[in-house]
Amino acid sequence: MSPPKYTADLERDSVDPAISISSSISLLDDDDASSFELSEFHVVEPALPTVPRLTTKMSYQPLASDDREEQKTYGSLDTSPSQSSSSLLGESLRTDDPASNIDNPFLDTETAEYWRHVYDNCQYECRHVFNPKLEWSAREEKELVRKLDWKVCLWACVMFFGLQVDRGNLAQAVSDNMLDDLGLDTNDYNYGHSIFLVSFLLAELPSQLLSKAVGPDRWIPMQMVLWSFVAISQCALTGRGSFLLTRSLLGFLEGGFIPDLVLWLSYFYTSRELPIRLSYFWTTLSVTGIVTSLLAFVLLHLRGFLGWEGWRWLFLVEGVITLCVGIASFFMMPASAVQTKTWFRPRGWFTEREEAIVVNRVLRDDPSKGDMHNRQALTPKRLWEALKDYDLWPLYAIGLCAYVPQSPPKNYLTLTLRSLGFSTFSTNILTIPADIFHIFNLILLTRLSEWLNERSLVAIAQPLWTLPCIIALRFWGGVVEDRWGTYAIIMTLLSYPYCHAILVGWCSKNSNNVGTRTVSAALYNMSVQSGSVYASYIYRDDDKPLYRRGNTTLLVINLVAILVFLLTKLYYVWRNKQKERVWNGLSEEQQVEYRKTTKIQGSRRLDFRFAH
């Protein structure tokens, strides 16, 4: 009788746990990275002794809570800190060994040697400080994370400010009658916005691949300088053609910036810390809205100075701001934690010990973060494997619909306020309250996700928040007629708890591989931009001022978004149960051999569990 076979696609319902392993085991067919075959597994006679079972740490289990004991060390056999979010890769602990450190997968010698071999083969830039036995205190780590926040996260927020200044100032410009000055109408505005988004979308993946090849520390500053010149040139717009051309160029040059920056941040932060830092990152979105609204209030008053309209001064000044940030970024973005010393920064940011802690804490959280060099391009094969990783598609589906309901009201905010009878300058000031509440709700939602270690059921708060507001805009009879009531509904809608930081961190976590993470970040952002393209055509000129048809469409999409969040939760729970059933059916020797020999990477590994 032929021996039983087991495949990674988990199509079988169960696996016989009583199996032995031969010396000629082959866990993977090299020609098929999506499945493996235990062709030499044989059924063991019941009389044989039972192999000791393993308790394995899965990546979907609760994350570690903050340790208040300042002298507690990490990475030694003397400690047993709370469980971290690192995946199961190479980690296995006996239930009868309470002294084992579940925070450090590299305490197992074979696991440490396996990953050391991986890091050496790919010439990982931080491989020389990889130390499975390194210990540090909670106080050291806390102080180091604070330093990272000031050095890395803060500048990431400054760069995002530069992006959002040039990406969002069109809304302020149209409040100064820019469309009339250029002979454009609302449909031209929609078309220009769509061209920007399509260009942005098309540039996402190429930009991410280029960033991975040359390094985000080089590509991001180049991006910023290039698009700032285009942003400045908008002060010389003459009509529809030049308007559409600059929109397209801005989209192509800005596309990929966000996933590029997220990739750079992932070099310094653990999977638990990244969503919180991304919440600060996207808080900049609202901060930029407040700052640029106040700046627009001043600059738009320059209408008539030197014969220019106010919106021309707006484009000029804000483009120069981005140019300055872009130039500074060449000096503010180190390639990695061990590459902060340079001719203009001879002492660097970290001591040698701090460098080792930064690197090892990230690797212990996710060993796969060192499986590529930071200037290593993706091969076509790895790109294809990442593209066909269907387990990430539910997250792309969320990105496609979750941000559509609030998009048209946001894009049309200044035009709507003007139509309600507010002046140009009052309009820009009245947009500020939504940005302020947006900041608080964004941080609160992301913190709640961290506290509960829950993503889908926390992130669903966004469409649940927008739903009653969309219903009011569609069915309330006082829309437009009651201008302050309409304003209150729109402000409440735009104060929604933004789940984008949770989704980006979620996508990064479930990629479980640098190459896949590079591509998935771009694909997720492309799905978001695709939704934005569609959203640009929901409010049409023949539907204003009430936009009944448009708001009906938004209501349907809002309900679909809620359903997609719930289905995504169910999907990942189901996938984890599938994997666990097969994994628990393997003996200890088979699990160890799988980790040693499998060439499956990323989320397709049997010993990886999806976060949800």
Side-chain angles (χ1 to χ4, degrees):
M1 183 177 65
S2 60
K5 297 180 181 180
Y6 307 91
T7 59
D9 58 11
L10 306 177
E11 293 178 352
R12 298 182 184 272
D13 293 331
S14 63
V15 174
D16 186 349
I19 39 184
S20 66
I21 185 168
S22 76
S23 59
S24 60
I25 182 172
S26 175
L27 288 174
L28 179 74
D29 180 355
D30 290 342
D31 295 328
D32 185 4
S34 65
S35 66
F36 68 92
E37 181 177 62
L38 304 179
S39 59
E40 301 297 329
F41 284 3
H42 304 285
V43 178
V44 178
E45 294 299 326
L48 293 178
T50 303
V51 176
R53 303 302 299 154
L54 288 176
T55 296
T56 50
K57 187 176 74 63
M58 307 300 185
S59 64
Y60 61 86
Q61 291 180 326
L63 304 179
S65 58
D66 289 336
D67 192 339
R68 302 300 182 185
E69 301 175 31
E70 295 178 350
Q71 300 306 316
K72 194 169 189 177
T73 58
Y74 295 84
S76 76
L77 291 173
D78 303 88
T79 61
S80 54
S82 300
Q83 191 162 332
S84 76
S85 61
S86 59
S87 71
L88 198 155
L89 299 177
E91 181 178 353
S92 59
L93 303 170
R94 292 182 183 274
T95 56
D96 57 353
D97 187 8
S100 297
N101 188 333
I102 60 176
D103 237 333
N104 184 2
F106 304 123
L107 289 180
D108 176 75
T109 304
E110 292 183 349
T111 298
E113 288 306 312
Y114 167 78
W115 284 107
R116 189 186 301 278
H117 180 70
V118 170
Y119 302 152
D120 288 340
N121 280 350
C122 72
Q123 297 294 294
Y124 173 48
E125 64 278 1
C126 303
R127 64 191 182 281
H128 62 285
V129 297
F130 172 58
N131 184 355
K133 302 299 184 183
L134 181 66
E135 301 177 13
W136 59 86
S137 69
R139 169 181 284 182
E140 283 183 289
E141 183 167 16
K142 183 177 181 180
E143 292 176 352
L144 185 55
V145 171
R146 185 182 297 115
K147 180 181 286 191
L148 287 171
D149 288 341
W150 281 105
K151 300 289 188 181
V152 177
C153 185
L154 179 60
W155 192 252
C157 292
V158 172
M159 290 187 288
F160 190 56
F161 172 83
L163 170 74
Q164 194 56 31
V165 163
D166 291 333
R167 191 170 64 163
N169 57 11
L170 184 62
Q172 281 108 20
V174 297
S175 72
D176 191 42
N177 300 318
M178 183 189 110
L179 297 181
D180 293 336
D181 292 338
L182 295 176
L184 307 177
D185 59 22
T186 303
N187 289 337
D188 291 323
Y189 175 74
N190 287 341
Y191 192 41
H193 189 61
S194 297
I195 287 179
F196 170 83
L197 292 174
V198 170
S199 301
F200 196 95
L201 185 154
L202 293 176
E204 286 278 2
L205 189 55
S207 175
Q208 189 76 336
L209 296 177
L210 184 59
S211 176
K212 189 66 190 72
V214 305
D217 56 299
R218 294 172 176 173
W219 174 238
I220 290 176
M222 290 173 60
Q223 273 185 290
M224 298 191 71
V225 170
L226 290 172
W227 89 56
S228 66
F229 286 125
V230 178
I232 292 172
S233 72
Q234 291 178 109
C235 69
L237 292 177
T238 57
R240 188 173 186 269
S242 57
F243 170 69
L244 298 179
L245 176 62
T246 54
R247 287 287 96 193
S248 179
L249 289 175
L250 280 175
F252 274 119
L253 293 173
E254 292 179 0
F257 172 84
I258 294 175
D260 293 342
L261 201 50
V262 171
L263 177 64
W264 183 67
L265 286 171
S266 71
Y267 294 160
F268 300 91
Y269 291 104
T270 66
S271 59
R272 179 190 176 186
E273 296 162 346
L274 186 59
I276 297 299
R277 272 66 197 176
L278 291 177
S279 72
Y280 301 153
F281 182 68
W282 269 286
T283 293
T284 311
L285 183 74
S286 299
V287 172
T288 305
I290 296 172
V291 172
T292 55
S293 293
L294 296 174
L295 189 59
F297 181 83
V298 175
L299 294 176
L300 295 182
H301 273 93
L302 294 178
R303 175 175 277 268
F305 183 65
L306 298 182
W308 275 19
E309 295 86 350
W311 56 266
R312 296 187 188 275
W313 289 107
L314 182 75
F315 285 136
L316 175 63
V317 173
E318 294 187 348
V320 170
I321 291 174
T322 301
L323 177 61
C324 294
V325 174
I327 293 174
S329 296
F330 281 105
F331 304 94
M332 294 298 294
M333 292 187 69
S336 71
V338 299
Q339 295 169 285
T340 62
K341 293 180 181 179
T342 183
W343 63 268
F344 56 84
R345 193 170 47 235
R347 299 182 60 182
W349 285 351
F350 311 111
T351 65
E352 290 185 0
R353 175 169 173 77
E354 287 175 334
E355 288 180 353
I357 295 174
V358 171
V359 172
N360 283 279
R361 64 193 291 273
V362 168
L363 292 179
R364 291 178 192 183
D365 172 73
D366 185 351
S368 71
K369 284 189 177 181
D371 68 2
M372 289 187 73
H373 191 276
N374 63 2
R375 306 211 194 285
Q376 180 181 351
L378 282 176
T379 63
K381 181 179 180 181
R382 293 193 73 167
L383 174 60
W384 174 243
E385 290 299 324
L387 288 172
K388 68 178 186 178
D389 189 351
Y390 57 80
D391 284 315
L392 294 175
W393 293 357
L395 299 180
Y396 305 154
I398 291 177
L400 189 63
C401 61
Y403 309 102
V404 173
Q406 58 272 16
S407 184
K410 176 67 174 178
N411 293 337
Y412 277 75
L413 178 59
T414 54
L415 291 175
T416 300
L417 294 180
R418 288 302 307 276
S419 70
L420 293 176
F422 295 106
S423 68
T424 298
F425 308 110
S426 297
T427 291
N428 283 286
I429 295 300
L430 287 172
T431 61
I432 294 178
D435 290 320
I436 295 175
F437 286 111
H438 190 265
I439 292 173
F440 288 111
N441 285 333
L442 166 61
I443 295 177
L444 180 61
L445 188 74
T446 311
R447 285 289 184 182
L448 183 63
S449 177
E450 179 198 18
W451 292 334
L452 300 178
N453 188 35
E454 175 61 50
R455 293 161 178 83
S456 51
L457 298 183
V458 172
I460 201 175
Q462 177 178 308
L464 291 177
W465 177 290
T466 57
L467 181 60
C469 299
I470 298 297
I471 292 175
L473 288 177
R474 173 59 183 85
F475 296 105
W476 182 49
V479 174
V480 175
E481 295 181 6
D482 183 346
R483 70 173 187 170
W484 285 109
T486 303
Y487 171 75
I489 293 174
I490 296 176
M491 285 299 101
T492 302
L493 170 64
L494 299 182
S495 300
Y496 64 95
Y498 195 33
C499 68
H500 200 37
I502 297 175
L503 265 294
V504 171
W506 190 1
C507 194
S508 176
K509 174 70 175 175
N510 281 357
S511 296
N512 197 43
N513 174 273
V514 172
T516 303
R517 190 174 291 116
T518 299
V519 177
S520 67
L523 293 179
Y524 169 74
N525 217 38
M526 289 172 68
S527 69
V528 174
Q529 300 307 322
S530 298
S532 298
V533 171
Y534 174 70
S536 298
Y537 290 95
I538 292 178
Y539 280 4
R540 303 289 294 177
D541 209 42
D542 61 350
D543 195 28
K544 66 180 186 183
L546 298 179
Y547 298 112
R548 297 295 192 196
R549 183 180 65 239
N551 287 325
T552 299
T553 303
L554 294 181
L555 179 58
V556 172
I557 295 174
N558 200 310
L559 294 173
V560 169
I562 293 173
L563 180 62
V564 172
F565 271 107
L566 295 175
L567 291 177
T568 298
K569 173 75 173 181
L570 294 176
Y571 176 77
Y572 284 133
V573 170
W574 172 67
R575 286 288 285 143
N576 284 341
K577 287 181 178 179
Q578 277 190 314
K579 286 189 171 190
E580 194 158 6
R581 184 168 56 247
V582 175
W583 182 257
N584 289 339
L586 304 181
S587 68
E588 178 180 351
E589 288 85 354
Q590 290 170 340
Q591 292 176 355
V592 171
E593 189 69 18
Y594 173 82
R595 297 192 190 100
K596 287 181 180 179
T597 61
T598 185
K599 296 180 182 178
I600 298 176
Q601 298 181 351
S603 64
R604 302 300 298 277
R605 292 180 61 105
L606 268 184
D607 51 2
F608 175 76
R609 300 295 178 265
F610 294 101
H612 53 77

